Amino acid sequence: MTDFLLELRSEEIPARMQAKAREDLARLFAAELAKAGLTAAATVTYATPRRLTLILRELPDATQAVSEEVKGPRASAPPQALDGFLRKTGLTREQLTERDGVLYAVTEKPGRATADVLAEAIPAVIRAFPWPKSMRWGDASLSTESLRWVRPLQGIVALLGEQVVPVTIAGIASGAATLGHRFHHPGVITIGSAADYVEKLRACHVIVNQDERAALIRDRAAALAAEAGLVLVEDEGLVAENAGLTEWPVPLLGRFDAEFLSVPPEVIQLTARVNQKYFVCRDGTGKLANAFVCTANIDAHDGGAKIVEGNRKVLAARLSDARFFYDTDLKVPLAEQAKKLDRIVFHEKLGTVADKVERVAKLARWLVEEGVVGTPDLADKAERAGRLAKADLVTGMVGEFPELQGLMGGYYAAAQGEDEAVANAIRDHYKPVGQGDDVPTEPVTVAVALADKLDSLEQFFAIGQAPTGSKDPFALRRSALGVIRLITENNLRYRVPPDLLDFFADRLKVQQREAGVRHDLIDAVFALGGEDDLVRLLARVRALQSFVTTDDGANLLAGYKRAANILKKENFLVAPAQAGAHVSVDQAVPPVAADEGLSYTPERDEVALIAALDAAEPAAAQAIEREDFEGAMAALATLRAPIDAFFDSVIVNDADPQKRSTRLKLLARVRAAVHKVADFSRIEG
Amino acid sequence: MTDISAPRPLSFQAMILRLHQYWSERGCAILQPYDMEMGAGTFHPATTLRALGPDTWNAAYVQPCRRPTDGRYGENPNRLQHYYQYQVILKPSPPDLQELYLGSLAAIGVDTGLHDIRFVEDDWESPTLGAWGLGWEVWCDGMEVTQFTYFQQMGGFDMKPVAGELTYGLERLAMYIQNVDNVYDLAFNDAGVSYGDVFLENERQMSTWNFEVADTDALFDLFRKAAAECERSLAAKLPIPAYEQAIKASHTFNLLQARGVISVAERQAYIGRVRDLAKAACAAYMEKNGWAEPLKVPAA
C-alpha cells in the first residue's frame, strides 16, 4: 500500500476555476484507476494559484491478475466454426479449454504495477482535463494540436511512495522537484513523498490547503477589524477568491479618506469588492467605516506598510471616480435623465427603453386604480415611479457599475426630493431578482415591480419570444417567478392574462415543487385547470396538503379511489375535472339527484350516502365560493363514514340493472363532489 | 530634508529607457511608435500583423494611445485622452515569460520584497481585431500595471505559434514608482520637467477638440474614405496600407463617439465595419506571405 502524489504546477490559475479543478482531478483519476481495477483508500486534492495537487492514499502496488474467458463453439461444431474461432482468438485448438462440451479461449492477464497504470493515467487525465477555458503556448503551439491547459503548464511532480512515476507530456518530464512561493522561495525544492509535501511547501511559504488559507484570511481579517474597533463585513465569496489568489495570504487593514463616505455605502462596498477584492468594515453603530482589508501574497519586509499605502491609493482613485459620477449625476433631475432613454433600444421589435417606461408607468397606474395593489390614491405615485424607474440607466454611476441599477435611481430620487414611496419604488422595482431575494411589500414598489415584469412578459410573448427549452435570452422565467412571488406573497388578487396562464402555471408548479410541496398534490390542483388567480390556486394547494395528512383525508381518498376504480372498471362516463369554483361538474355528468325517484327501495347505507352528499355538496360549494378550502375539505370529510358504510353493505354491481346504474351514478356523484376541490385521482397513496 | 540615501525613483523617460535597455538585452527589436493615431499598442502593425504567421518575432516599443472619450480636460488625476503604453511582443511565447516580466519590474525599481505582485485572471478580447487571448492583469499593491496575454487568435486566425504580449501602462507605473497621486506631477526627466509641463495643455485643448470642436461631417467623410481606401488597397493586394486605413477608420470612429453623434443602434454597425476591414487586412497579410488560403471574394 503506497500513497501517490501528483502536483501539476502552472502559471496562475484563475481563482474561480480552482474548486472545480480539484473535483475534476479527483473524478478523472478515480475513473482512470477504476478502469484498471484500482481504488484509493482516500483522495485529497489541493489548489493554489500555481498548483493543482492530488494525493491518493494507500494504493495497492499492483492490479489484480485476471483471467479472461471467451466462449467459443461447441466441441462438436463443424470445423468451419472452430476455424473461425481460432482465427479470432489467435490460438490453436490445443490451447482452448473444453467444459461441458463447449470450447473456451482463456487468457491469463497478470496484474500490472500501479506505477505503470499511473504513468498512463497522468497524461490521459491532463489531456482530457475540462478547463472552462484553455490555451496553447510556446514553441509547441506552432501546431494547433499542442497541449491545452488553463495557463502554461510548468512542472509535474509524480511520486508513488518515494519513486518518481516517469511521464513526459508537452516536453515536461515528471520528477520530484517543484518551486516554493514565487517571491519568498523562488528556488527548487525536492519533495520526498506525499507524506512531506504539505510541510515542505509550508516551509517555502506555500500553504497548499485552500481551506487553511481561507480560514487564515477569514480569521485574520476579522481580527484586524476588531483590533481597529470595527466589525468586518463577512463575505465568503471574497474569502474564497482571495484564497485562490494567494499561496501565503497576509490580510492587511488600511484606511481611506473619510470624506469618501459621502458616496452611498453600496457603491464603496461594490468598488472595494469587485474591483479590488477588499473586505469592508462597519463601525459600532453598523455604519460603513473608512477602512478596508486587502489580502497580500507576501510577508513584506516592512510589515506591509507600502502595500497598504499602494492599495489605499488605488481605492482612493476608484472612490474619487465614483464620487465624481455621484456628484455629477445628482445635478441632473431623474426626469431629465429619463428623456435620454429614447436613445437606448430595448429590443428591435419593442422600441426603446423610453417606450417601455411609458407602458410600465401606465400599467403601474392601472394596477393601483383597479385595486390590485394598494389604494387608488397611490395611482399618481405609482405612475411617477414607473416613469423614473429606468432613468438611472443613463447615469454615469450605473454606466460604470451596471449592478447598481435601481439602487442609484433610488438615491438620486430621494436626494432630488421625490416622495419616499416613489424613491423606494425606483430602488426596489427590479426585485425579487433571485430566489433568495426579498419580495417588495410597499404598494407603490409592488405596482412598479409587477408592471415592469408583466410588461416584459406580455411584450416578448406577443412577438413570439417565449422561452423554449433551455433558451430564455430575456430571462422571462425569472420575470414570471418574480410576478408569482409578488402576487402570492402580497396576496394580490390579479387575474393572469390568458396568453400567459400556462407559462405561469408551469413556473408556479416548479416553484411549489422546489418549496417542498408534494408534486402529486400540485398536479391534483393544477389538473382542475382554468384558474387564473394564483392566490386562490395556492390556497387550494395548501388546504389539500394539510387535509390529505389527516385521517379523514386519508380515508376519503381511499373511498374516492374505490369509487373511481369501480367507475373505471364499469367504463362509466368519466367526468372531466373542472375548476370547482366556476364550472359545476353537474353539467358534465348527471349524478343521482336527491329528488330523483328510485324504482326500488334503497338500502339504509345508500340512503345515508345520498343524504350525506345532499348536505356536503352545498356546504363544500359555499365554502369554495368563500375561498375557504379548508371548509370545503371539512365538508367533504363528512362523506367519509357514509362512503365506508356504503361499500361495506351495499353491492354496487347488483343483478338488477336499475340498481346497478343508480349506484354507479351515486359513486359518480361522490367523485364529482370531490373533484370540486381537487382531482383526487392524481394523489398518490 | 530629503533622504539622500534612498535611491531617487526613475523619471518617466528614464523608466522608458530602462525598459528599452532590458528588452533590448533580451533580444527584442526596439521599435519606435507607429506614426498613426490608435487606441492601444496592440494596434501597432508590429503586434497585430507580425503576431500572425510562423516566424519568430520579438519586439518592444512605446506606443502613444488615443482614447478621445477618456479626455477630462486635464482635470482628472488619472484619466487622459492621450497616454503611453509600453508594448512587448514575443513570438513564440518563451517558457519563462513571467520571470522575464518580473525581471523588467525589478529593472525599473519595483522591489518584490516590499510590494505585492499578483497575476489576476483577465482574458483579453478585441472584437475590432477579431482577436482574443488568455492571461492576467498584473497587480502591484492592488493597482493594475500590466496586461499580460497569450494571444490565441488574431484577425480570426489561430496563432501558430502563440505570441506573448505585455502591455505596461507607463503613466500608472511611473506614478507608482515615483509615489505621486496626480499624473501631471510625474517627473518627466531629472531636470525639472514634469509630465504636466509636457502634456497638460495638450490634454485641455485636445479634450475640447475631441468633445466640442471636431468637424463631425468631415469625420464621417474621413471614415468612409478610409474604409474605401482600405478596400482599394486590399484589391491591390497591399495588406499593410489596407491595415493602416483600418486603423484610421477605427480612430475616426472613436472621435465620432466622443462627439456623441453615433447612436446606440449605429454603434454596432460601425464596430462591425472596422472589424471587417481589420480582419480582411490580416487575411490579406497571411495570404501575401503564403500562410493562408486566398480570401474568397463574393461575386458582386
Side-chain angles (χ1 to χ4, degrees):
Chain A
M1 291 289 179
T2 317
D3 290 356
F4 170 63
L5 166 73
L6 178 74
E7 180 198 73
L8 302 172
R9 185 169 49 80
S10 67
E11 297 180 9
E12 274 75 356
I13 305 166
R16 67 185 171 95
M17 299 179 188
Q18 292 170 16
K20 169 86 170 18
R22 286 194 295 119
E23 282 171 28
D24 288 336
L25 188 63
R27 179 176 54 80
L28 292 174
F29 257 92
E32 286 294 322
L33 293 185
K35 273 194 238 164
L38 288 174
T39 319
T43 303
V44 182
T45 55
Y46 299 121
T48 80
R50 296 176 75 201
R51 52 203 100 216
L52 189 54
T53 301
L54 170 84
I55 293 174
L56 299 174
R57 301 245 183 252
E58 295 174 35
L59 283 178
D61 299 326
T63 64
Q64 295 279 349
V66 286
S67 152
E68 268 180 16
E69 195 175 75
V70 181
K71 189 179 176 186
R74 299 193 65 82
S76 58
Q80 296 93 318
L82 179 61
D83 288 346
F85 186 64
L86 292 178
R87 257 199 314 278
K88 194 177 109 189
T89 54
L91 299 176
T92 62
R93 173 66 182 82
E94 290 68 39
Q95 290 171 304
L96 299 184
T97 308
E98 187 178 334
R99 199 168 67 239
D100 299 333
V102 179
L103 297 171
Y104 292 88
V106 179
T107 334
E108 297 296 336
K109 283 198 168 174
R112 294 179 64 205
T114 298
D116 294 344
V117 173
L118 290 169
E120 280 176 21
I122 296 166
V125 167
I126 290 176
R127 292 196 191 282
F129 210 84
W131 292 108
K133 276 185 184 174
S134 61
M135 56 167 279
R136 299 176 299 117
W137 66 93
D139 293 347
S141 62
L142 197 52
S143 159
T144 51
E145 300 306 306
S146 65
L147 179 69
R148 292 177 168 273
W149 199 244
V150 62
R151 293 293 184 276
L153 186 64
Q154 299 283 19
I156 301 173
V157 173
L159 291 170
L160 182 60
E162 296 176 359
Q163 298 298 311
V164 170
V165 178
V167 293
T168 301
I169 182 162
I172 301 161
S174 60
T178 186
L179 299 179
H181 188 279
R182 191 187 275 292
F183 301 110
H184 283 300
H185 199 288
V188 169
I189 49 177
T190 305
I191 304 299
S193 72
D196 69 1
Y197 175 73
V198 170
E199 290 314 314
K200 274 213 163 158
L201 277 170
R202 188 192 303 282
C204 297
H205 279 79
V206 175
I207 299 174
V208 291
N209 186 332
Q210 60 290 329
D211 299 332
E212 190 183 336
R213 295 195 306 278
L216 193 155
I217 293 167
R218 193 184 296 119
D219 297 347
R220 186 74 192 122
L224 285 168
E227 283 163 25
L230 303 170
V231 180
L232 191 80
V233 176
E234 287 174 17
D235 188 330
E236 276 304 302
L238 264 185
V239 168
E241 190 171 12
N242 278 299
L245 281 165
T246 49
E247 292 205 309
W248 192 258
V250 180
L252 297 165
L253 183 134
R255 294 281 187 172
F256 59 84
D257 192 337
E259 278 188 25
F260 287 122
L261 292 173
S262 66
V263 177
E266 292 91 342
V267 176
I268 296 175
Q269 195 172 348
L270 191 71
T271 190
R273 186 184 72 213
V274 176
N275 295 325
Q276 297 301 134
K277 314 191 194 305
Y278 301 157
F279 296 90
V280 291
C281 304
R282 297 191 191 286
D283 64 18
T285 68
K287 283 199 341 213
L288 196 72
N290 63 324
F292 65 93
V293 176
C294 61
T295 310
N297 189 33
I298 56 165
D299 256 330
H301 309 326
D302 65 352
K306 283 217 157 56
I307 295 174
V308 169
E309 175 56 13
N311 279 285
R312 183 199 62 77
K313 274 172 129 170
V314 181
L315 184 59
R318 296 242 181 227
L319 292 179
S320 89
D321 249 13
R323 187 167 58 179
F324 169 79
F325 287 128
Y326 185 61
D327 292 345
T328 313
D329 291 343
L330 271 182
K331 288 176 196 151
V332 186
L334 279 182
E336 281 301 308
Q337 301 278 32
K339 290 178 186 163
K340 301 179 200 155
L341 293 172
D342 64 358
R343 296 186 204 158
I344 306 176
V345 176
F346 175 61
H347 180 276
E348 54 176 329
K349 288 185 184 158
L350 300 176
T352 66
V353 176
D355 297 328
K356 178 179 172 64
V357 162
E358 189 59 31
R359 292 192 301 265
V360 170
K362 283 187 179 145
L363 182 52
R365 181 178 193 92
W366 182 86
L367 287 168
V368 172
E369 283 179 339
E370 290 296 307
V372 175
V373 185
T375 47
D377 57 302
L378 297 173
D380 286 344
K381 288 182 185 173
E383 184 177 345
R384 174 90 183 153
R387 236 173 257 296
L388 300 180
K390 307 287 181 189
D392 66 357
L393 292 179
V394 296
T395 62
M397 188 72 92
V398 175
E400 194 74 6
F401 299 109
E403 53 272 70
L404 292 178
Q405 64 180 8
L407 185 80
M408 292 319 300
Y411 271 110
Y412 297 144
Q416 291 168 359
E418 294 290 341
D419 183 273
E420 191 187 347
V422 171
N424 291 349
I426 294 170
R427 183 187 64 208
D428 292 335
H429 81 278
Y430 292 102
K431 286 175 171 265
V433 176
Q435 269 187 329
D437 199 17
D438 306 335
V439 173
T441 53
E442 284 189 57
V444 178
T445 306
V446 173
V448 181
L450 256 187
D452 186 27
K453 293 168 186 67
L454 284 170
D455 175 70
S456 292
L457 286 160
E458 286 269 21
Q459 295 287 325
F460 281 114
F461 270 68
I463 59 165
Q465 291 284 349
T468 52
S470 62
K471 289 209 182 89
D472 185 11
F474 306 107
L476 297 180
R477 290 197 179 100
R478 196 173 72 186
S479 291
L481 199 59
V483 170
I484 288 170
R485 293 190 59 201
L486 282 161
I487 288 177
T488 56
E489 292 180 33
N490 286 297
N491 268 314
L492 304 182
R493 310 315 300 262
Y494 173 76
R495 305 186 73 164
V496 175
D499 53 327
L500 296 177
L501 191 53
D502 287 348
F503 185 62
F504 270 73
D506 284 346
R507 292 294 94 205
L508 189 60
K509 263 190 193 177
V510 172
Q511 187 219 27
Q512 289 293 298
R513 224 172 284 157
E514 282 169 2
V517 179
R518 268 168 55 185
H519 71 94
D520 56 326
L521 300 185
I522 299 171
D523 287 346
V525 171
F526 276 82
L528 298 177
E531 175 62 275
D532 58 6
D533 183 323
L534 304 180
V535 171
R536 198 159 57 202
L537 197 62
L538 285 188
R540 211 185 271 264
V541 171
R542 271 195 297 274
L544 184 61
Q545 197 179 8
S546 50
F547 181 61
V548 292
T549 54
T550 62
D551 275 355
D552 278 349
N555 289 325
L556 180 68
L557 179 62
Y560 165 87
K561 292 234 157 158
R562 201 161 161 189
N565 281 338
I566 292 169
L567 290 170
K568 198 170 161 194
K569 211 159 75 190
E570 298 302 321
N571 215 2
F572 198 84
L573 180 64
V574 175
Q578 297 279 353
H582 301 299
V583 184
S584 164
V585 178
D586 302 36
Q587 293 162 356
V589 177
V592 180
D595 54 0
E596 191 175 323
L598 292 177
S599 62
Y600 63 94
T601 310
E603 293 179 36
R604 183 177 49 110
D605 290 326
E606 202 173 355
V607 175
L609 180 56
I610 292 171
L613 276 166
D614 287 347
E617 277 170 346
Q622 281 161 23
I624 288 169
E625 199 60 41
R626 293 192 307 273
E627 297 181 11
D628 172 10
F629 298 106
E630 280 83 2
M633 308 265 175
L636 289 179
T638 61
L639 295 175
R640 171 202 159 179
I643 289 175
D644 289 349
F646 177 82
F647 279 125
D648 285 346
S649 66
V650 181
I651 295 162
V652 177
N653 213 354
D654 198 279
D656 176 353
Q658 179 71 36
K659 284 186 182 173
R660 183 170 164 271
S661 150
T662 305
R663 287 167 186 169
L664 282 173
K665 281 186 190 170
L666 188 60
L667 292 185
R669 196 173 151 199
V670 168
R671 183 176 63 183
V674 171
H675 275 190
K676 286 192 180 182
V677 172
D679 183 348
F680 272 48
S681 69
R682 305 217 176 214
I683 302 175
E684 290 164 7
Chain B
M1 285 292 288
T2 35
D3 179 2
I4 51 163
S5 66
R8 186 174 181 166
L10 295 179
S11 68
F12 191 70
Q13 69 188 37
M15 192 176 79
I16 292 171
L17 291 171
R18 283 279 177 93
L19 287 171
H20 276 340
Q21 185 68 32
Y22 180 87
W23 288 108
S24 173
E25 285 165 1
R26 279 149 191 85
C28 285
I30 304 299
L31 307 180
Q32 298 306 317
Y34 208 63
D35 59 340
M36 293 182 72
E37 302 112 320
M38 56 185 71
T42 306
F43 279 83
H44 193 308
T47 293
T48 304
L49 295 181
R50 296 304 300 261
L52 295 164
D55 56 329
T56 295
W57 176 247
N58 298 311
Y61 55 89
V62 173
Q63 181 60 46
C65 301
R66 301 235 194 176
R67 305 226 171 143
T69 47
D70 282 350
R72 293 291 183 271
Y73 298 85
E75 284 166 18
N76 185 297
N78 300 301
R79 289 218 194 198
L80 303 160
Q81 57 83 42
H82 170 283
Y83 64 97
Y84 291 101
Q85 287 180 346
Y86 195 91
Q87 176 88 1
V88 181
I89 177 95
L90 302 169
K91 183 181 71 170
S93 64
D96 56 348
L97 186 51
Q98 282 188 313
E99 283 68 35
L100 285 173
Y101 167 72
L102 292 170
S104 75
L105 287 189
I108 55 175
V110 177
D111 179 352
T112 53
L114 281 176
H115 295 289
D116 183 32
I117 306 294
R118 223 84 70 69
F119 292 86
V120 180
E121 178 192 14
D122 190 35
D123 301 339
W124 174 83
E125 191 182 8
S126 168
T128 318
L129 294 175
W132 68 275
L134 297 189
W136 311 272
E137 46 184 50
V138 183
W139 285 15
C140 179
D141 298 341
M143 179 167 65
E144 182 194 347
V145 290
T146 303
Q147 186 77 38
F148 190 131
T149 307
Y150 291 99
F151 284 154
Q152 301 295 302
Q153 270 200 343
M154 177 63 78
F157 293 96
D158 280 332
M159 302 293 292
K160 293 188 281 188
V162 163
E165 182 206 46
L166 306 173
T167 303
Y168 305 72
L170 283 177
E171 283 82 356
R172 281 183 177 202
L173 211 42
M175 285 168 74
Y176 187 82
I177 290 167
Q178 295 184 22
N179 195 24
V180 301
D181 289 340
N182 189 324
V183 64
Y184 300 107
D185 295 336
L186 280 174
F188 200 89
N189 67 2
D190 290 328
V193 177
S194 74
Y195 193 92
D197 292 337
V198 185
F199 285 116
L200 181 55
E201 185 55 23
N202 186 70
E203 280 298 310
R204 289 177 180 146
Q205 293 192 20
M206 290 307 299
S207 293
T208 309
W209 186 79
N210 291 338
F211 288 126
E212 302 167 38
V213 178
D215 180 342
T216 55
D217 289 343
L219 289 172
F220 278 121
D221 194 41
L222 194 58
F223 185 91
R224 278 190 295 272
K225 284 180 172 154
E229 195 59 24
C230 178
E231 281 168 349
R232 286 186 66 244
S233 309
L234 286 170
K237 305 222 173 285
L238 295 171
I240 293 172
Y243 181 68
E244 283 200 348
Q245 295 304 317
I247 298 177
K248 193 174 288 262
S250 174
H251 177 65
T252 309
F253 163 72
N254 289 343
L255 284 170
L256 285 165
Q257 279 265 93
R259 293 287 281 120
V261 290
I262 293 195
S263 72
V264 178
E266 289 169 317
R267 192 166 173 270
Q268 284 311 314
Y270 273 94
I271 290 173
R273 182 88 173 105
V274 174
R275 179 180 52 235
D276 292 346
L277 296 174
K279 285 177 80 166
C282 288
Y285 184 81
M286 291 287 284
E287 185 196 336
K288 183 120 185 158
N289 285 287
W291 297 326
E293 293 299 304
L295 267 189
K296 287 194 182 68
V297 182

